[in-house]
Amino acid sequence: MKDDTGKKEQKEEKPWTDSLQQDFERILSVGEECINPAELKALLLSKRETGFNLYDGFEPSGRMHIAQGVFKAANVNKCTASGGTFVFWVADWFALMNDKMGGDLEKIRVVGEYLQHVWKAAGMDLENVVFKWASEEITDKADRYWPLMLDVARRFNITRIKKCCQIMGRKEGLLSSAQILYPLMQCTDVFFLRADICQLGVDQRKVNMLAREYCDHAKIKHKPVILSHHMLYGLKQGQAKMSKSDPDSAIFMEDTPEDVERKIMKAYCPMEEEVLTDIVQEVQDAGDESMNLSQDKLKNPCLDYIQNIIFAPPGASFTAGDNTFSTFAEVQTAFLGGNLSEEELKRGLIQSLNLLLDPVRKHFTENEQAKDLLAKVQQFKREGSPLRTLSRRLNLPELGKVPKDCHLVFLPLPTADPTLQQALDVLAQLKASNNKAKVLYMADWTAQVCSACDAEPKVVSSYYEVFVTSLKALDPELMASVNIVFQSEAILLDPSNYWISVINVGRHFMLNEVMGEETQDSDSVGNVISRLMQVADVMSVGPTSVALPAGSITAANLIAKFYAEKLESMTAPSIQQLDGPSIILQQRESEAHKTENDEYYLADDPKVNGKSKMKKAFCEPGNISFCPPIEIALAFSPDGDFVVSRSSENGGDVKYTSREEIENDFKSGALHPGDLKASTTAIMMQTLEKLSKGLKENEAATKGLKSLKAFKKKMAKRKGKK
């Protein structure tokens, strides 16, 4: 709004009240680190009245340790008491991908519901808590989730994503390709769930920071606040965190009083800092790098439990020996000063833990629904989880989207300037079908993750419209028999099975295999994702043959190897790598000598360019090792015959019916470069006229050309500003 003077009125700032300060301090107490407090204050000022979202995710895997139970319940209560809505992302879909519960989604869901009951019994106030099931949300909103994930992927290089792989419990070396995909998906979750605050453990800090970096790349104004809670030590010496795979590394929410006593009495409980050799210290520091942000040289898990579990609820106290302590500092001072023995400390901890766990035990004894869920989960554990051998995939023939036993060809990645060479390559690949039904696959989502045409959907779509129209103009009879499939439309027919197949491909191959020799760590991680998607695309179509561009060594190897090692029940397609005849006009190594588009013909070149570009084309007398006019003449001559028109004084017209005849005459000098160029120019002008007519008659292609030209102009302007 403007005032009477026409000036824009300053928006009145909301006052920072004592109540907001209490909320601020309460939320801050949840985290070992907050990035950053100023943004948290701004968030409370703007959204305290309307509400804000916090998020954490968990994978239902059958067990919940006490940090995930009691510690999390206390932290959630602090956040919701401060005006937030806590969104739990129940990552059942991720558990499915990781073969938890044998990949049985129904069993996984039972475990998820069981864990919700644990939280309720542990004292979590569920009034402002929302549980969202990934399997439902991602599938129902696949058209929003997956393009967002692809956009995240295209904006980071491989090196940056490798640094996030701590969330998978992996170091940067020896990574499978799927371990690169998981951080990208977790980063996507933040924006998909519209989280204002990421309230996860310190071990997730790197991927949460990735979300903030994404905001810079995508020009998102409000970054998520990162509130990273402490990671409890494992109960054994040297364990930087608890482990679900080691039952004695933690207290679990279903542990009996006897379990609690046994584990705590055996727990590591030093009074003095352990002196390590330099080498051991270096290795341990590297492993613990992202587990703890606070300085703690003692690393006593019993004290850690007392500080973060026992004193987590407001107003808590701790009794040990003959003393009752109201703060953790008092307990620590008494123990390290020798006024509280190790046994007294541990006995007090056992008693306090059992008091926290008793309501959970009671709930699962008295609540019929909870009792039933617990019985099922225990039964799942007894039965074990045999892995499913069926490879899940999108099945396009079964869905009626493509014919069975077809020949598959991929369109090239979109550019602002579709070339005639690209069109010839695709036509050659389609003609290699050996009379099978042909499928032309337009990988628009792959184009996005590879940042083709700056990942602008409208421009990508324009490229495909222009390219396919050009193919139809060049060879209408062939194209009449081609089935055209958009990747995004195909995926959305069954997104879950498609993306599970992508991740399964990633799990099968090490990252270095997918990168190949041509991809570097400094390259976009989108290159890795696109290769996984291509294998999944081939599986989806189920062809008997695939034609890839010449030189697609890594892609061909990945397809062949995955079929051989994981898809024994499916017939592996034969794979050809081929291009059409090369019609490049120049071979220049120096950029300084290049002029725009004079090395090749564009699909939308005007007729006059058939003459002007041919005039500049390389055509050295007698040189048949590189002679563009000969290649073009052979590529576009009707019926395979090439007629050179010349005056009677120069020998008259001559008709060539084979490459050998043309090359022999040109090499001997019987065919002059000028005569060769003149006749080839006529052929090119006819070809470009044919293309121009086809593009003009197609309204969508005409609009597509305008869109490509506008995009090219915009990119040139952007480049000029740098």
Side-chain angles (χ1 to χ4, degrees):
M1 292 181 64
K2 296 182 179 180
D3 59 19
D4 294 337
T5 65
K7 294 182 179 179
K8 193 173 182 180
E9 291 182 358
Q10 292 288 331
K11 192 173 181 180
E12 186 178 344
E13 290 188 8
K14 294 181 180 179
W16 184 255
T17 64
D18 290 342
S19 177
L20 284 173
Q21 181 65 26
Q22 289 173 2
D23 291 337
F24 174 69
E25 291 175 358
R26 190 184 299 116
I27 293 174
L28 274 185
S29 71
V30 168
E32 194 166 77
E33 178 189 56
C34 177
I35 302 175
N36 65 46
E39 292 175 10
L40 177 58
K41 278 190 172 183
L43 177 65
L44 287 173
L45 275 171
S46 63
K47 290 192 172 184
R48 178 59 177 90
E49 294 177 3
T50 57
F52 53 91
N53 290 331
L54 305 98
Y55 124 90
D56 191 2
F58 70 94
E59 186 177 299
S61 57
R63 306 198 77 188
M64 181 185 283
H65 52 61
I66 198 163
Q68 192 181 6
V70 174
F71 186 39
K72 192 67 194 180
N75 285 342
V76 168
N77 289 345
K78 290 177 183 178
C79 294
T80 55
S82 304
T85 295
F86 209 102
V87 179
F88 274 105
W89 186 235
V90 189
D92 57 338
W93 201 76
F94 295 79
L96 175 70
M97 295 186 301
N98 289 326
D99 295 322
K100 298 294 173 64
M101 299 295 149
D104 188 324
L105 196 57
E106 290 302 316
K107 288 183 178 180
I108 292 168
R109 193 172 186 101
V110 167
V111 174
E113 291 173 356
Y114 158 73
L115 297 179
Q116 289 180 44
H117 272 269
V118 174
W119 273 318
K120 182 179 179 180
M124 184 183 289
D125 183 353
L126 299 179
E127 183 178 354
N128 292 308
V129 174
V130 176
F131 291 93
K132 292 194 175 185
W133 297 82
S135 60
E136 295 175 356
E137 296 291 326
I138 292 179
T139 301
D140 292 346
K141 301 178 182 71
D143 58 335
R144 188 165 74 85
Y145 184 89
W146 293 111
L148 179 58
M149 188 280 288
L150 297 173
D151 192 62
V152 170
R154 78 182 185 92
R155 296 179 186 272
F156 294 99
N157 63 25
I158 296 168
T159 298
R160 178 64 185 88
I161 302 304
K162 278 184 175 182
K163 291 178 180 177
C164 293
C165 289
Q166 185 69 50
I167 69 167
M168 297 299 300
R170 302 288 193 276
K171 303 293 170 60
E172 288 185 23
L174 301 176
L175 293 171
S176 76
S177 301
Q179 286 156 357
I180 288 293
L181 189 55
Y182 292 142
L184 298 172
M185 294 175 69
Q186 187 169 325
C187 180
T188 303
D189 296 341
V190 176
F191 302 97
F192 181 70
L193 296 171
R194 294 184 170 91
D196 298 301
I197 300 175
C198 299
Q199 206 292 279
L200 296 91
V202 168
D203 61 333
Q204 311 293 306
R205 182 181 185 274
K206 288 181 180 179
V207 76
N208 287 332
M209 291 302 295
L210 188 77
R212 288 178 62 87
E213 290 174 36
Y214 174 71
C215 290
D216 292 329
H217 292 301
K219 295 180 171 55
I220 296 172
K221 183 178 179 181
H222 297 293
K223 298 179 180 180
V225 174
I226 310 302
L227 192 65
S228 304
H229 64 247
H230 174 71
M231 298 296 295
L232 263 69
Y233 299 130
L235 293 175
K236 296 179 180 179
Q237 183 176 0
Q239 290 183 324
K241 61 181 281 191
M242 297 177 290
S243 171
K244 291 180 183 177
S245 61
D246 181 357
D248 287 337
S249 72
I251 301 299
F252 288 86
M253 297 301 290
E254 73 268 25
D255 278 352
T256 64
E258 293 75 21
D259 290 329
V260 174
E261 181 176 11
R262 174 179 56 80
K263 292 180 183 182
I264 295 300
M265 292 308 293
K266 290 172 60 179
Y268 180 57
C269 189
M271 294 182 67
E272 296 179 355
E273 178 186 351
E274 183 178 1
V275 179
L276 301 174
T277 65
D278 291 342
I279 295 176
V280 173
Q281 184 67 54
E282 184 179 344
V283 171
Q284 196 171 88
D285 288 347
D288 298 352
E289 177 188 356
S290 24
M291 294 299 169
N292 296 286
L293 298 174
S294 60
Q295 186 75 5
D296 179 14
K297 294 184 177 180
L298 192 61
K299 297 182 180 178
N300 183 319
C302 295
L303 290 177
D304 200 27
Y305 268 48
I306 293 167
Q307 180 180 12
N308 294 288
I309 300 293
I310 307 307
F311 280 105
S317 61
F318 175 69
T319 299
D322 297 325
N323 300 303
T324 297
F325 304 91
S326 58
T327 67
F328 169 70
E330 294 173 357
V331 179
Q332 186 178 39
T333 300
F335 176 66
L336 297 181
N339 296 320
L340 188 65
S341 70
E342 178 179 333
E343 182 167 353
E344 288 173 330
L345 182 84
K346 288 184 172 182
R347 291 292 176 190
L349 178 55
I350 292 166
Q351 182 180 6
S352 296
L353 288 173
N354 280 321
L355 286 173
L356 291 173
L357 293 175
D358 278 342
V360 179
R361 296 167 182 148
K362 183 178 180 183
H363 179 74
F364 281 94
T365 302
E366 298 177 356
N367 184 289
E368 290 302 320
Q369 184 182 8
K371 188 191 300 185
D372 179 60
L373 288 169
L374 177 59
K376 287 179 178 177
V377 171
Q378 290 173 336
Q379 182 181 347
F380 298 160
K381 290 180 183 178
R382 288 194 298 270
E383 292 174 349
S385 303
L387 300 182
R388 293 182 172 183
T389 57
L390 180 65
S391 293
R392 298 181 59 161
R393 67 183 180 101
L394 168 64
N395 193 330
L396 293 178
E398 190 176 83
L399 293 168
K401 189 70 175 177
V402 300
K404 292 182 179 180
D405 302 326
C406 64
H407 174 72
L408 176 62
V409 173
F410 292 88
L411 276 188
L413 285 176
T415 65
D417 290 318
T419 68
L420 197 51
Q421 180 67 66
Q422 290 175 320
L424 285 182
D425 292 343
V426 170
L427 289 173
Q429 290 158 12
L430 287 169
K431 289 173 182 175
S433 66
N434 196 24
N435 296 319
K436 291 188 287 288
K438 293 170 279 291
V439 171
L440 186 58
Y441 202 80
M442 296 190 283
D444 52 336
W445 278 6
T446 296
Q448 180 181 349
V449 81
C450 291
S451 291
C453 293
D454 206 33
E456 293 190 20
K458 181 181 177 182
V459 182
V460 169
S461 179
S462 295
Y463 170 87
Y464 288 137
E465 189 65 50
V466 170
F467 199 97
V468 171
T469 302
S470 300
L471 294 177
K472 290 178 179 178
L474 290 169
D475 198 332
E477 185 178 347
L478 174 68
M479 290 303 296
S481 64
V482 173
N483 298 271
I484 297 173
V485 176
F486 265 97
Q487 181 189 46
S488 58
E489 293 177 1
I491 291 172
L492 290 174
L493 292 173
D494 187 0
S496 289
N497 274 326
Y498 177 81
W499 287 104
I500 287 171
S501 71
V502 171
I503 290 166
N504 282 338
V505 174
R507 291 167 66 188
H508 185 67
F509 292 112
M510 300 304 291
L511 177 60
N512 289 340
E513 284 185 275
V514 177
M515 288 173 64
E517 295 183 1
E518 62 273 28
T519 304
Q520 306 300 316
D521 279 2
S522 58
D523 293 331
S524 168
V525 76
N527 295 333
V528 174
I529 307 304
S530 69
R531 285 184 175 159
L532 302 181
M533 291 174 69
Q534 187 171 43
V535 178
D537 291 333
V538 174
M539 292 164 57
S540 301
V541 174
T544 55
S545 59
V546 180
L548 300 173
S552 303
I553 298 171
T554 301
N557 287 343
L558 291 174
I559 295 167
K561 190 173 181 182
F562 193 76
Y563 265 83
E565 296 176 0
K566 296 296 289 185
L567 301 175
E568 297 91 343
S569 61
M570 292 180 67
T571 302
S574 61
I575 302 173
Q576 304 172 69
Q577 299 179 53
L578 72 151
D579 289 334
S582 173
I583 58 170
I584 187 171
L585 299 171
Q586 305 279 353
Q587 281 186 328
R588 296 191 181 117
E589 293 184 4
S590 172
E591 290 289 331
H593 294 101
K594 291 184 179 182
T595 58
E596 189 176 11
N597 299 336
D598 73 336
E599 291 184 89
Y600 47 84
Y601 283 109
L602 300 178
D604 67 326
D605 264 340
K607 181 179 176 182
V608 67
N609 281 11
K611 184 175 183 179
S612 61
K613 289 188 177 182
M614 184 59 67
K615 187 176 180 180
K616 297 178 183 178
F618 184 86
C619 191
E620 183 181 46
N623 184 349
I624 60 171
S625 62
F626 178 64
C627 186
I630 291 179
E631 298 300 331
I632 291 170
L634 291 168
F636 294 106
S637 293
D639 304 320
D641 294 337
F642 174 52
V643 178
V644 174
S645 300
R646 54 190 180 186
S647 63
S648 55
E649 291 84 0
N650 292 324
D653 295 351
V654 59
K655 180 179 180 180
Y656 295 101
T657 60
S658 69
R659 172 185 290 273
E660 185 180 7
E661 291 177 1
I662 301 174
E663 290 184 343
N664 285 341
D665 272 9
F666 189 72
K667 187 175 183 180
S668 68
L671 177 57
H672 190 273
D675 294 329
L676 173 61
K677 277 194 172 186
S679 298
T680 306
T681 295
I683 291 174
M684 273 313 305
M685 292 179 73
Q686 291 172 8
T687 301
L688 293 176
E689 186 175 21
K690 187 193 304 182
L691 281 165
S692 178
K693 182 181 178 183
L695 291 168
K696 286 178 180 177
E697 289 177 350
N698 186 316
E699 185 179 351
T702 302
K703 289 181 179 178
L705 280 173
K706 291 179 180 178
S707 176
L708 291 176
K709 291 183 187 304
F711 170 74
K712 187 177 179 182
K713 186 176 180 180
K714 181 180 78 172
M715 296 306 290
K717 188 176 180 181
R718 184 187 298 177
K719 186 177 180 181
K721 287 182 178 179
K722 291 183 178 179

